[in-house]
Amino acid sequence: MHDLYEPVAAIMRECGETIILTRFRDLSDDQIEEKSPGDLVTVADRESERFLTDRLSELLPDAAILGEEATAADPSVMDRIHEPVCWVIDPIDGTSNFAAGRSPFGILIALVRGGETEAGWIYDPVSKRLCHAHRGAGAWINGDPLHSKGSGKDKPVIALYTSFMEGEERIRVDAAAAAHFEIVPPPMCAAEQYPMLATGQHDITIYRRSLPWDHAAGALFLNEAGGTVARFDGTAYRPDQTEMTGMLAAATPDLWDEAARVLL
């Protein structure tokens, strides 16, 4: 595992226990805001990001920090992804679920070096599940090595995130998926979606948006587990490609090829 596996894991666990879970199902209406239509933020998101920022800064004082909520307040923060070393933080992924008092939601942290994800952590404060990946070294859940194999179903299981697609593209992708795959409701949480792919609960996922805090940790985790995450043209996903959109993720390379043929 990555040299910082345990220190980052300890920070995430502390954040989950002392900040996130203390607010879970205990938010007042004035503690939930809409950053944009349908995009929520809570007091817990902001408190979590401040905590994680302070503690990760202690681990690597020279690293830049790119947080979702800091970027929402100041879009120029996104430029930090191009620094030589950068922490990427999603303090609560799945905020809509969290604000509604339901799971899943989680913390996503990625360490990006030279524009590529070096290590990623995905923590579920409710179940205490910790997913980790180290570039070129593998993927683990709660310390156990993981190899992604897919669901094994005759009709691969797909979760669609097509709401950010333009009308014609969304109609085409939805129709193609319905004709070839078993469509299931998405968890609306990347911190849950990538583990579901890696553990064979889902086979395929397609995204139009690919913000680094949503995908840097999860894409590395699935790739290192033996799955495939790539742009629509098959090129590798990099978190520093902030202007690019469109990602296809699958539990195995063969499933990725099948999904690309059908959906793209």
Side-chain angles (χ1 to χ4, degrees):
M1 298 183 190
H2 194 272
D3 290 345
L4 294 177
Y5 168 71
E6 284 292 353
V8 174
I11 291 170
M12 297 173 89
R13 292 188 184 106
E14 184 178 355
C15 183
E17 289 295 324
T18 64
I19 297 175
I20 296 174
L21 290 183
T22 60
R23 297 283 193 180
F24 186 40
R25 296 176 180 157
D26 193 29
L27 292 169
S28 58
D29 290 343
D30 63 351
Q31 293 175 327
I32 305 170
E33 300 175 24
E34 217 176 28
K35 292 185 288 188
S36 60
D39 189 9
L40 301 181
V41 62
T42 73
V43 63
D45 291 81
R46 292 179 173 135
E47 290 176 356
S48 175
E49 184 162 307
R50 285 194 294 269
F51 177 88
L52 295 169
T53 296
D54 291 344
R55 296 294 297 275
L56 292 172
S57 293
E58 295 172 2
L59 282 184
L60 290 177
D62 295 332
I65 295 187
L66 170 62
E68 178 180 5
E69 306 313 330
T71 307
D74 177 5
S76 70
V77 171
M78 184 69 85
D79 294 338
R80 295 177 186 174
I81 194 67
H82 302 294
E83 294 293 323
V85 183
C86 180
W87 291 109
V88 179
I89 303 170
D90 192 335
I92 302 180
D93 183 66
T95 297
S96 294
N97 295 335
F98 177 79
R102 63 174 182 265
S103 293
F105 54 86
I107 305 171
L108 292 165
I109 294 178
L111 180 61
V112 176
R113 196 179 298 271
E116 293 187 287
T117 310
E118 178 179 295
W121 293 256
I122 307 171
Y123 182 60
D124 181 337
V126 174
S127 70
K128 317 301 183 190
R129 181 192 63 205
L130 177 62
C131 303
H132 173 62
H134 183 189
R135 187 176 182 84
W140 299 264
I141 295 182
N142 293 334
D144 295 325
L146 178 68
H147 183 67
S148 179
K149 298 179 180 179
S151 70
K153 293 187 175 183
D154 292 337
K155 291 187 72 173
V157 179
I158 187 168
L160 297 168
Y161 294 84
T162 56
S163 60
F164 288 99
M165 292 181 175
E166 296 295 331
E168 290 186 5
E169 182 185 30
R170 182 172 62 250
I171 292 169
R172 177 182 58 77
V173 169
D174 286 346
H180 293 86
F181 305 128
E182 177 188 344
I183 299 177
V184 295
M188 304 308 293
C189 172
E192 181 69 11
Q193 184 63 75
Y194 282 106
M196 291 184 85
L197 288 164
T199 58
Q201 297 173 72
H202 291 175
D203 291 302
I204 302 159
T205 296
I206 189 168
Y207 293 98
R208 171 47 74 188
R209 283 206 315 182
S210 55
L211 296 166
W213 45 79
D214 287 331
H215 298 286
L220 179 68
F221 175 69
L222 183 56
N223 280 330
E224 287 295 324
T228 300
V229 182
R231 297 292 184 182
F232 287 173
D233 63 0
T235 57
Y237 164 76
R238 290 174 56 105
D240 63 346
Q241 297 168 328
T242 55
E243 301 303 317
M244 294 185 67
T245 63
M247 286 173 57
L248 183 63
T252 68
D254 286 346
L255 282 165
W256 195 96
D257 290 341
E258 180 180 357
R261 176 182 58 79
V262 169
L263 302 176
L264 305 179

